[in-house]
Amino acid sequence: TFDPSRLTAQELAVARLVAVGMSNRQVASELFVSIKTVQFHLTHIYAKLGYTSRVRLVNEAGRYLDLPVRPQP
C-alpha cells in the first residue's frame, strides 16, 4: 500500500504529480527540476514502497490520495 510517511517531501510531490498522470517531463517542469532528478526520485519511491512499476504507483497513490486521474493524450 501507499505509505507517504516513508517518502521525503520531494518524493511525495513527484508521486502526487505522477499519480494524476503527468509524464516525467511534465513533473520536472512543474517542480523546476531536471528529468533526471524526477527519475532519481521515482527510483527511490519504488524502492521504499516495494513497487516495480509506474502503474502500481499511479494506482496506489491515486487511491490513497483520492486524486483524479488525468487521461494521457
Side-chain angles (χ1 to χ4, degrees), residues 1-4 7 12 14-20 45 49 51 54-67 69:
T1 61
F2 185 76
D3 181 2
L7 305 178
L12 186 55
V14 169
R16 185 182 306 272
L17 294 174
V18 166
V20 296
I45 291 167
L49 301 179
Y51 296 170
R54 185 184 193 99
V55 171
R56 178 144 184 225
L57 174 61
V58 169
N59 289 337
E60 297 282 343
R63 187 173 22 253
Y64 181 87
L65 299 169
D66 197 27
L67 298 173
V69 175

Side-chain angles (χ1 to χ4, degrees), residues 28-65:
S29 177
E30 182 76 17
L31 298 177
F32 302 102
V33 298
S34 72
I35 295 170
K36 287 284 191 189
T37 299
V38 172
Q39 293 169 339
F40 174 84
H41 288 309
L42 284 171
T43 299
H44 286 107
I45 291 167
Y46 298 153
K48 287 179 177 182
L49 301 179
Y51 296 170
T52 57
S53 73
R54 185 184 193 99
V55 171
R56 178 144 184 225
L57 174 61
V58 169
N59 289 337
E60 297 282 343
R63 187 173 22 253
Y64 181 87
L65 299 169

